[in-house]
Amino acid sequence: MREVFQQELREVQDRLVEISTLVAVSIENATRAFNESDVSLAEAVIADDDRIDEAALALDELAINILARQQPVARDLRIVVSALRVSASLERMGDMSEHIAQLARYRFPDKVVPKSLRATFAELGTLDVAIARKLVELLTSGDVRIAEQIRNDDDRIDALHLSVFDKVLGETWKGGAVDTVDATLASRYHERFADHAVSIAKKMQYLATGDWVAPEL
Amino acid sequence: MREVFQQELREVQDRLVEISTLVAVSIENATRAFNESDVSLAEAVIADDDRIDEAALALDELAINILARQQPVARDLRIVVSALRVSASLERMGDMSEHIAQLARYRFPDKVVPKSLRATFAELGTLDVAIARKLVELLTSGDVRIAEQIRNDDDRIDALHLSVFDKVLGETWKGGAVDTVDATLASRYHERFADHAVSIAKKMQYLATGDWVAPEL
């Protein structure tokens, strides 16, 4: 029974790694579509989000099934419950990536943001891609030092997010309302993407220390 | 054992009703603070969000504890797992309400949105408050007809959300960048607030029909 359970936990972990890999590909493509106004790539990101949703759904069914059959307690129980939460966060990360791609598609053939903000959004994109890749690594290896790195990357994203508002609300801002709306939303999506990654990273850290539930909510 | 379990399920339900009541009070106050530029009310909403977070956290600990001790299966298991998800959605609804209050505080003593959008935001606020109250009713009574009403209210909110973008991106928009940013964010927060309510409503509907997990993700 114990061996079956361990095998099932590995299956849960493998699936989380799979979903996080889909999310990493999604944000990479969304960022490129956004920076380069690549409408067909944007449409691919939007279409592929269904795969992430389905994979998250399948994982949840598996986790609930394990709870029902294996009746885990203590740390084992917390691992399975945390898998449900990680899956929900990954699914939302996919949504944020899809929203970024949608902005690129709506504005096509125009660029989504004016020149003065392109470097900022390029960096936001690069950081979100890096965070997504680190998340794959973290879920694969369980190495909680990666969780710390993700939290540091998120601090930089928060600073960039604030700088977008400074720019948009500053006196030198020449953008029209479309630019202002797009910059506001795109920045928020990048920030939320990273927030969900941090929430997963915290869960992994506290799962490693045995006290994972407290800081999550 | 069975009786203890039923009693614990009632405790879970009572706590969900409690948290949803806090959320309803929060969105009522946030909406009023937003419409009337009432900075002290905005600050109260922001301070009170901690209570919602703590109540959600306590409920999650209780639900995990029930899973560990009672080892529920089948529908009982799904009820407890769904409580974890409802609690996460309520916690996010509190966050959206807090964000709306923060916008009111940032812009004080100015109004958050220009005259041309005030009626729209008043209606968004009224609808979100109505949805929050219906959610309390739904969690109290389990009457799934209320879930249907929530979904209808959400359709109207989505239409209003789109109309904000039409206005802000239209030729008659006279607002500056601050107005554009605020309208974009406030509208998004209202829309997300309602989305979380719909996600809870769907869970309750499918829990009633026995197939609740599928549509949630």
Side-chain angles (χ1 to χ4, degrees):
Chain A
M1 193 66 168
R2 182 74 198 163
E3 201 179 314
V4 174
F5 178 67
Q6 288 305 328
Q7 199 179 319
E8 292 194 315
L9 277 193
R10 272 194 300 277
E11 168 76 17
V12 166
Q13 190 194 1
D14 288 349
R15 295 230 207 152
L16 286 176
V17 170
E18 247 174 67
I19 302 170
S20 65
T21 305
L22 292 175
V23 169
V25 170
S26 174
I27 190 69
E28 277 179 50
N29 288 337
T31 294
R32 192 139 60 85
F34 186 94
N35 293 339
E36 300 171 13
S37 300
D38 184 335
V39 71
S40 53
L41 192 57
E43 277 164 3
V45 170
I46 295 162
D48 285 350
D49 191 53
D50 286 349
R51 289 180 56 203
I52 296 174
D53 294 351
E54 283 158 20
L57 184 59
L59 173 62
D60 286 9
E61 283 297 340
L62 175 64
I64 292 173
N65 200 286
I66 292 173
L67 286 176
R69 283 182 299 99
Q70 302 281 357
Q71 310 266 318
V73 294
R75 183 161 183 279
D76 290 342
L77 172 60
R78 283 173 188 264
I79 290 175
V80 179
V81 173
S82 78
L84 285 168
R85 287 170 166 166
V86 170
S87 134
S89 294
L90 288 172
E91 193 268 333
R92 285 302 294 160
M93 291 173 79
D95 288 346
M96 294 303 110
S97 177
E98 183 186 12
H99 289 340
I100 290 167
Q102 280 165 336
L103 286 176
R105 191 184 56 171
Y106 290 149
R107 297 309 165 218
F108 180 80
D110 292 329
K111 294 257 184 187
V112 184
V113 288
K115 265 193 187 140
S116 63
L117 274 175
R118 266 176 223 157
T120 306
F121 277 101
E123 191 179 348
L124 278 169
T126 304
L127 282 166
D128 269 352
V129 170
I131 280 182
R133 286 188 188 142
K134 282 175 191 163
L135 207 52
V136 176
E137 244 185 283
L138 173 61
L139 291 168
T140 307
S141 69
D143 178 352
V144 290
R145 284 168 303 178
I146 303 169
E148 204 49 48
Q149 293 170 22
I150 290 173
R151 294 173 77 160
N152 291 337
D153 287 346
D154 180 56
D155 289 343
R156 176 70 189 145
I157 286 181
D158 287 345
L160 287 168
H161 179 53
L162 289 179
S163 84
V164 169
F165 288 114
D166 284 347
K167 178 91 75 168
V168 163
L169 301 178
E171 287 179 6
T172 58
W173 177 246
K174 299 272 183 292
V178 176
D179 300 313
T180 308
V181 168
D182 288 352
T184 302
L185 290 178
S187 187
R188 168 105 185 136
Y189 298 148
H190 279 294
E191 185 237 356
R192 289 296 302 154
F193 184 94
D195 277 354
H196 286 292
V198 167
S199 129
I200 295 173
K202 282 187 190 167
K203 244 174 244 112
M204 298 299 287
Q205 277 182 315
Y206 285 84
L207 203 51
T209 60
D211 181 33
W212 67 278
V213 88
E216 174 37 28
L217 311 162
Chain B
M1 192 67 167
R2 181 75 198 164
E3 201 178 314
V4 174
F5 179 67
Q6 288 305 329
Q7 199 178 319
E8 292 194 316
L9 277 193
R10 271 194 300 276
E11 168 76 16
V12 166
Q13 190 194 1
D14 288 349
R15 295 231 207 151
L16 286 176
V17 169
E18 245 174 68
I19 302 170
S20 66
T21 305
L22 292 174
V23 168
V25 170
S26 174
I27 190 71
E28 276 179 51
N29 288 337
T31 294
R32 192 140 59 86
F34 186 94
N35 292 339
E36 300 171 13
S37 300
D38 183 336
V39 71
S40 53
L41 192 58
E43 276 164 3
V45 170
I46 295 162
D48 285 350
D49 191 53
D50 285 349
R51 289 179 57 203
I52 296 175
D53 294 350
E54 282 158 20
L57 184 59
L59 173 62
D60 285 10
E61 282 297 341
L62 174 64
I64 291 174
N65 200 286
I66 293 173
L67 286 176
R69 282 183 299 97
Q70 302 281 358
Q71 310 266 316
V73 294
R75 184 161 182 280
D76 290 343
L77 172 60
R78 284 173 188 264
I79 290 174
V80 179
V81 173
S82 78
L84 286 167
R85 287 172 167 166
V86 170
S87 134
S89 294
L90 289 172
E91 193 269 333
R92 284 303 293 161
M93 290 172 79
D95 288 345
M96 294 303 110
S97 176
E98 183 186 13
H99 288 340
I100 290 167
Q102 280 165 337
L103 285 176
R105 191 184 57 170
Y106 290 150
R107 298 309 165 219
F108 180 82
D110 292 329
K111 294 258 185 186
V112 184
V113 288
K115 266 194 186 138
S116 63
L117 274 175
R118 267 177 223 155
T120 306
F121 277 101
E123 191 179 348
L124 278 168
T126 304
L127 282 167
D128 269 351
V129 170
I131 280 183
R133 287 188 187 142
K134 283 175 191 164
L135 207 51
V136 176
E137 244 186 282
L138 174 61
L139 291 168
T140 307
S141 69
D143 179 352
V144 290
R145 284 168 303 179
I146 302 169
E148 204 49 48
Q149 293 170 21
I150 289 173
R151 295 173 77 161
N152 291 337
D153 287 346
D154 181 56
D155 288 343
R156 175 70 188 146
I157 285 182
D158 286 345
L160 286 168
H161 179 53
L162 288 179
S163 83
V164 169
F165 287 114
D166 284 345
K167 179 92 76 172
V168 163
L169 301 178
E171 287 179 5
T172 58
W173 177 246
K174 298 273 182 290
V178 176
D179 300 313
T180 308
V181 168
D182 288 352
T184 302
L185 290 177
S187 186
R188 169 105 184 135
Y189 299 148
H190 279 294
E191 185 236 356
R192 288 297 301 153
F193 184 94
D195 277 354
H196 285 293
V198 167
S199 130
I200 295 172
K202 281 187 189 168
K203 245 175 243 109
M204 299 298 288
Q205 277 182 315
Y206 284 84
L207 204 51
T209 59
D211 181 33
W212 67 279
V213 86
E216 174 37 28
L217 311 161

